[in-house]
Amino acid sequence: MSRPASGDDQVLMNARDAIASAQTVEQLRQAQAVVLPLDYAMSLADTAQVIGVSPGWACQLRRRFMQGRVSGTPDSPKPGGRKRQNLSVSEETEFLAPFLKSAATGGVLVVGQIKAALDKRLGRTVSLASVYNLLHRHNWRKLAPDKRHPHFAMRQKSS
């Protein structure tokens, strides 16, 4: 026997109002995940089957609603993004400015120097891939000359 669903009268009233004013399927499912167990004494597994999600997801929907995190609202977090960023995009631009400026005037962009400066700025070491990802976000690409001119390479293939 599973334990009864938790929730007070205020949560139940808010969920009923949310069902009436739901604009998306996500919002409707989230409110139903709260109302069905409280009003109809349904188990979480039965509730999940009725609203068409897994029991774990139904539990998350209930918990988020009770915490005040309603799905589909403009302030709700979107999937993806830079949750574990080292620097903001503007800080990255400011950090890379001297390196990219010297590269634009004919200098060579040395990734090892950028990595050392980034390690010093963050106060810890970062991987070389992090530096390449940083450069990629700011539209830098490694330009390397071919071993031979394409015109001459075509001549040797046809001979």
Side-chain angles (χ1 to χ4, degrees), residues 4 23 70 75 95 121:
Q23 295 179 350
V70 179
D75 60 336
F95 171 75
R121 170 133 184 204

Side-chain angles (χ1 to χ4, degrees), residues 88-152:
S88 68
V89 177
S90 60
E91 289 173 333
E92 287 179 353
T93 305
E94 174 188 323
F95 171 75
L96 285 176
F99 297 105
L100 295 177
K101 183 178 177 184
S102 68
T105 59
V108 177
L109 193 65
V110 181
V111 176
Q113 292 175 351
I114 296 174
K115 181 187 179 317
L118 186 61
D119 290 346
K120 184 176 178 183
R121 170 133 184 204
L122 296 176
R124 61 183 173 84
T125 60
V126 294
S127 68
L128 193 59
S130 296
V131 179
Y132 278 106
N133 290 337
L134 167 72
L135 291 168
H136 179 73
R137 275 194 298 277
H138 294 274
N139 298 322
W140 176 83
R141 58 192 181 100
K142 184 177 180 180
L143 296 176
D146 286 338
K147 292 182 178 163
R148 59 176 78 159
H149 193 278
H151 178 75
F152 297 118

